[in-house]
mmCIF file of all heavy atoms in Angstrom:
data_model
loop_
_atom_site.group_PDB
_atom_site.id
_atom_site.type_symbol
_atom_site.label_atom_id
_atom_site.label_comp_id
_atom_site.label_asym_id
_atom_site.label_seq_id
_atom_site.Cartn_x
_atom_site.Cartn_y
_atom_site.Cartn_z
ATOM 1 N N PRO Y 636 -32.003 -4.448 23.937
ATOM 2 C CA PRO Y 636 -33.050 -3.475 24.283
ATOM 3 C C PRO Y 636 -32.873 -2.929 25.693
ATOM 4 O O PRO Y 636 -32.359 -3.601 26.578
ATOM 5 C CB PRO Y 636 -34.323 -4.297 24.175
ATOM 6 C CG PRO Y 636 -33.900 -5.694 24.487
ATOM 7 C CD PRO Y 636 -32.493 -5.830 23.976
ATOM 8 N N ARG Y 637 -33.345 -1.681 25.881
ATOM 9 C CA ARG Y 637 -33.393 -1.096 27.218
ATOM 10 C C ARG Y 637 -34.626 -1.642 27.946
ATOM 11 O O ARG Y 637 -35.438 -2.358 27.373
ATOM 12 C CB ARG Y 637 -33.465 0.429 27.109
ATOM 13 C CG ARG Y 637 -32.333 1.047 26.292
ATOM 14 C CD ARG Y 637 -31.025 1.035 27.082
ATOM 15 N NE ARG Y 637 -29.893 1.416 26.256
ATOM 16 C CZ ARG Y 637 -29.544 2.676 25.994
ATOM 17 N NH1 ARG Y 637 -30.298 3.662 26.462
ATOM 18 N NH2 ARG Y 637 -28.471 2.933 25.283
ATOM 19 N N ARG Y 638 -34.756 -1.222 29.188
ATOM 20 C CA ARG Y 638 -35.877 -1.745 29.996
ATOM 21 C C ARG Y 638 -37.236 -1.417 29.380
ATOM 22 O O ARG Y 638 -38.166 -2.201 29.449
ATOM 23 C CB ARG Y 638 -35.790 -1.171 31.415
ATOM 24 C CG ARG Y 638 -34.659 -1.739 32.234
ATOM 25 C CD ARG Y 638 -34.668 -1.201 33.665
ATOM 26 N NE ARG Y 638 -33.602 -1.798 34.460
ATOM 27 C CZ ARG Y 638 -32.371 -1.328 34.515
ATOM 28 N NH1 ARG Y 638 -32.042 -0.254 33.806
ATOM 29 N NH2 ARG Y 638 -31.457 -1.916 35.269
ATOM 30 N N SER Y 639 -37.359 -0.249 28.779
ATOM 31 C CA SER Y 639 -38.652 0.172 28.223
ATOM 32 C C SER Y 639 -38.854 -0.286 26.781
ATOM 33 O O SER Y 639 -39.920 -0.063 26.204
ATOM 34 C CB SER Y 639 -38.771 1.698 28.290
ATOM 35 O OG SER Y 639 -37.706 2.307 27.578
ATOM 36 N N ASP Y 640 -37.842 -0.915 26.187
ATOM 37 C CA ASP Y 640 -37.935 -1.335 24.784
ATOM 38 C C ASP Y 640 -38.637 -2.688 24.665
ATOM 39 O O ASP Y 640 -38.697 -3.459 25.637
ATOM 40 C CB ASP Y 640 -36.538 -1.438 24.163
ATOM 41 C CG ASP Y 640 -35.874 -0.081 24.005
ATOM 42 O OD1 ASP Y 640 -36.609 0.928 24.045
ATOM 43 O OD2 ASP Y 640 -34.645 -0.030 23.840
ATOM 44 N N PRO Y 641 -39.139 -2.997 23.451
ATOM 45 C CA PRO Y 641 -39.694 -4.348 23.213
ATOM 46 C C PRO Y 641 -38.614 -5.410 23.366
ATOM 47 O O PRO Y 641 -37.424 -5.110 23.360
ATOM 48 C CB PRO Y 641 -40.199 -4.272 21.764
ATOM 49 C CG PRO Y 641 -40.307 -2.819 21.457
ATOM 50 C CD PRO Y 641 -39.293 -2.123 22.281
ATOM 51 N N ALA Y 642 -39.050 -6.655 23.486
ATOM 52 C CA ALA Y 642 -38.103 -7.757 23.655
ATOM 53 C C ALA Y 642 -37.203 -7.888 22.431
ATOM 54 O O ALA Y 642 -37.523 -7.427 21.334
ATOM 55 C CB ALA Y 642 -38.864 -9.059 23.885
ATOM 56 N N LEU Y 643 -36.075 -8.525 22.637
ATOM 57 C CA LEU Y 643 -35.095 -8.727 21.567
ATOM 58 C C LEU Y 643 -35.690 -9.576 20.454
ATOM 59 O O LEU Y 643 -36.297 -10.629 20.717
ATOM 60 C CB LEU Y 643 -33.881 -9.438 22.170
ATOM 61 C CG LEU Y 643 -32.549 -9.334 21.440
ATOM 62 C CD1 LEU Y 643 -32.070 -7.888 21.405
ATOM 63 C CD2 LEU Y 643 -31.515 -10.197 22.161
ATOM 64 N N ALA Y 644 -35.553 -9.128 19.197
ATOM 65 C CA ALA Y 644 -36.043 -9.903 18.049
ATOM 66 C C ALA Y 644 -34.988 -10.933 17.675
ATOM 67 O O ALA Y 644 -33.872 -10.582 17.301
ATOM 68 C CB ALA Y 644 -36.321 -8.965 16.872
ATOM 69 N N VAL Y 645 -35.355 -12.231 17.800
ATOM 70 C CA VAL Y 645 -34.376 -13.296 17.551
ATOM 71 C C VAL Y 645 -34.992 -14.351 16.630
ATOM 72 O O VAL Y 645 -36.211 -14.428 16.455
ATOM 73 C CB VAL Y 645 -33.932 -13.971 18.871
ATOM 74 C CG1 VAL Y 645 -33.212 -12.976 19.760
ATOM 75 C CG2 VAL Y 645 -35.118 -14.588 19.603
ATOM 76 N N LEU Y 646 -34.110 -15.178 16.052
ATOM 77 C CA LEU Y 646 -34.508 -16.363 15.295
ATOM 78 C C LEU Y 646 -34.162 -17.591 16.122
ATOM 79 O O LEU Y 646 -33.176 -17.577 16.867
ATOM 80 C CB LEU Y 646 -33.764 -16.422 13.958
ATOM 81 C CG LEU Y 646 -33.955 -15.245 12.982
ATOM 82 C CD1 LEU Y 646 -32.979 -15.371 11.813
ATOM 83 C CD2 LEU Y 646 -35.382 -15.194 12.480
ATOM 84 N N THR Y 647 -34.963 -18.640 16.012
ATOM 85 C CA THR Y 647 -34.629 -19.897 16.675
ATOM 86 C C THR Y 647 -33.993 -20.838 15.676
ATOM 87 O O THR Y 647 -34.220 -20.738 14.469
ATOM 88 C CB THR Y 647 -35.877 -20.553 17.286
ATOM 89 O OG1 THR Y 647 -36.845 -20.754 16.250
ATOM 90 C CG2 THR Y 647 -36.469 -19.665 18.371
ATOM 91 N N GLN Y 648 -33.185 -21.769 16.170
ATOM 92 C CA GLN Y 648 -32.380 -22.569 15.261
ATOM 93 C C GLN Y 648 -33.195 -23.596 14.460
ATOM 94 O O GLN Y 648 -32.760 -24.012 13.394
ATOM 95 C CB GLN Y 648 -31.266 -23.266 16.027
ATOM 96 C CG GLN Y 648 -31.726 -24.291 17.050
ATOM 97 C CD GLN Y 648 -30.548 -24.988 17.713
ATOM 98 O OE1 GLN Y 648 -29.400 -24.723 17.403
ATOM 99 N NE2 GLN Y 648 -30.845 -25.896 18.639
ATOM 100 N N ASP Y 649 -34.372 -23.962 14.932
ATOM 101 C CA ASP Y 649 -35.116 -24.950 14.137
ATOM 102 C C ASP Y 649 -36.628 -24.882 14.355
ATOM 103 O O ASP Y 649 -37.346 -25.788 13.962
ATOM 104 C CB ASP Y 649 -34.633 -26.376 14.445
ATOM 105 C CG ASP Y 649 -34.680 -26.713 15.920
ATOM 106 O OD1 ASP Y 649 -35.317 -25.946 16.677
ATOM 107 O OD2 ASP Y 649 -34.071 -27.713 16.318
ATOM 108 N N GLY Y 650 -37.129 -23.787 14.947
ATOM 109 C CA GLY Y 650 -38.550 -23.803 15.266
ATOM 110 C C GLY Y 650 -39.389 -22.796 14.511
ATOM 111 O O GLY Y 650 -40.563 -22.599 14.846
ATOM 112 N N MET Y 651 -38.827 -22.170 13.468
ATOM 113 C CA MET Y 651 -39.590 -21.150 12.750
ATOM 114 C C MET Y 651 -39.779 -21.544 11.294
ATOM 115 O O MET Y 651 -38.931 -22.219 10.696
ATOM 116 C CB MET Y 651 -38.863 -19.784 12.821
ATOM 117 C CG MET Y 651 -38.719 -19.234 14.234
ATOM 118 S SD MET Y 651 -37.835 -17.659 14.301
ATOM 119 C CE MET Y 651 -39.058 -16.553 13.595
ATOM 120 N N THR Y 652 -40.905 -21.117 10.722
ATOM 121 C CA THR Y 652 -41.167 -21.376 9.304
ATOM 122 C C THR Y 652 -40.666 -20.202 8.457
ATOM 123 O O THR Y 652 -40.347 -19.124 8.977
ATOM 124 C CB THR Y 652 -42.660 -21.561 9.051
ATOM 125 O OG1 THR Y 652 -43.343 -20.332 9.361
ATOM 126 C CG2 THR Y 652 -43.221 -22.688 9.902
ATOM 127 N N VAL Y 653 -40.614 -20.413 7.145
ATOM 128 C CA VAL Y 653 -40.199 -19.359 6.217
ATOM 129 C C VAL Y 653 -41.116 -18.149 6.353
ATOM 130 O O VAL Y 653 -40.667 -17.000 6.378
ATOM 131 C CB VAL Y 653 -40.209 -19.890 4.767
ATOM 132 C CG1 VAL Y 653 -40.017 -18.745 3.775
ATOM 133 C CG2 VAL Y 653 -39.117 -20.936 4.569
#
Side-chain angles (χ1 to χ4, degrees):
R637 305 286 171 83
R638 288 184 178 87
S639 58
D640 291 342
L643 201 64
V645 296
L646 300 171
T647 57
Q648 65 177 359
D649 54 13
M651 297 179 72
T652 64
V653 170

